Amino acid sequence: MAETKTILIAEDSSVILNLTKKILELQNYKILTAKNGGEVIKTVENNKIDAILMDLNIPIKNGMECTREIRASKNKDIATIPIIAVTGNANNYSMEDFKEAGINAYLPKPLDFDMLVQTVKEYTAK
């Protein structure tokens, strides 16, 4: 059996976090969570993460700042983690902004859970 992939969900809304976590656990992913940008960076440094679902509006460091920091890591395993942006106000950002920050994919809120699973599978299938 394939090794379980670990997904970090960076989300400050408990409702969205718990729902997303349940859906991905049903797909046999191991889930780690972070409610703010500081936790995101700590979690990434201390765990092997296969992909990150990054809410762009998390406290302390927003998702764009976290993404840039992860991409700047000297550790290649950290710097290349696929990052999937999740936001309810993508109008504040262009695809160019996402690319420049190093975001691999983007999912709008409210989340389409079929799309979520499909996107996570796509970025964790190695």
Side-chain angles (χ1 to χ4, degrees):
M1 180 157 158
E3 106 188 59
T4 303
K5 300 287 187 179
T6 302
I7 310 299
L8 171 60
I9 304 173
E11 172 64 69
D12 59 337
S13 159
S14 302
V15 174
I16 296 168
L17 183 68
N18 290 330
L19 207 54
T20 307
K21 183 178 177 185
K22 279 198 175 45
I23 285 163
L24 291 174
E25 283 174 341
L26 288 171
Q27 301 294 320
N28 293 321
Y29 289 103
K30 178 181 173 201
I31 305 300
L32 298 175
T33 61
K35 287 200 174 272
N36 64 57
E39 289 179 15
V40 168
I41 302 303
K42 267 196 217 105
T43 304
V44 166
E45 288 171 349
N46 297 316
N47 299 275
K48 183 191 178 307
I49 308 286
D50 295 293
I52 301 172
L53 283 172
M54 182 81 75
D55 179 14
L56 296 183
N57 298 316
I58 50 176
I60 301 182
K61 284 181 188 154
N62 70 31
M64 295 296 259
E65 291 170 311
C66 285
T67 300
R68 287 188 186 97
E69 195 167 321
I70 290 165
R71 292 294 177 245
S73 174
K74 289 179 181 27
N75 179 331
K76 185 179 74 62
D77 292 337
I78 292 174
T80 57
I81 298 170
I83 298 176
I84 303 161
V86 179
T87 185
N89 57 358
N91 301 345
N92 297 355
Y93 302 102
S94 68
M95 285 317 285
E96 283 309 304
D97 294 333
F98 289 152
K99 277 195 177 65
E100 178 270 323
I103 287 170
N104 299 87
Y106 153 71
L107 294 169
K109 283 182 186 173
L111 279 174
D112 170 330
F113 290 109
D114 292 333
M115 194 69 205
L116 166 74
V117 169
Q118 184 184 328
T119 305
V120 168
K121 276 188 176 151
E122 182 184 329
Y123 283 96
T124 57
K126 287 183 196 152

